[in-house]
Amino acid sequence: MPRLALYTLVVCLLALAAAVVSFVQGSWLGIVWVLLAGLSSNMTWYYIKRGRGAGGKSVTS
């Protein structure tokens, strides 16, 4: 898995956790966290597919 895909996956998981905590506390700020999780999820899939197409080369090179 490319390094950038791993970073965006971590951001996605952290954003989901923050959204759950926000909604449990009754805050509507969780909507922003859900949107951030969706964006980082899409970025993760993009970097995974781009990494496979490069034949295992680094995404940044």
Side-chain angles (χ1 to χ4, degrees):
M1 178 181 285
R3 186 177 299 155
L4 286 175
L6 185 62
Y7 291 156
T8 56
L9 180 62
V10 169
V11 169
C12 180
L13 294 175
L14 289 174
L16 282 174
V20 168
V21 169
S22 292
F23 285 130
V24 166
Q25 292 179 349
S27 173
W28 286 97
L29 189 62
I31 294 172
V32 175
W33 290 114
V34 168
L35 293 174
L36 181 63
L39 176 67
S40 60
S41 172
N42 287 340
M43 289 174 65
T44 301
W45 283 114
Y46 172 77
Y47 286 127
I48 287 173
K49 289 180 182 180
R50 184 174 173 190
R52 287 183 185 164
K57 296 179 185 174
S58 176
V59 174
T60 58
S61 62

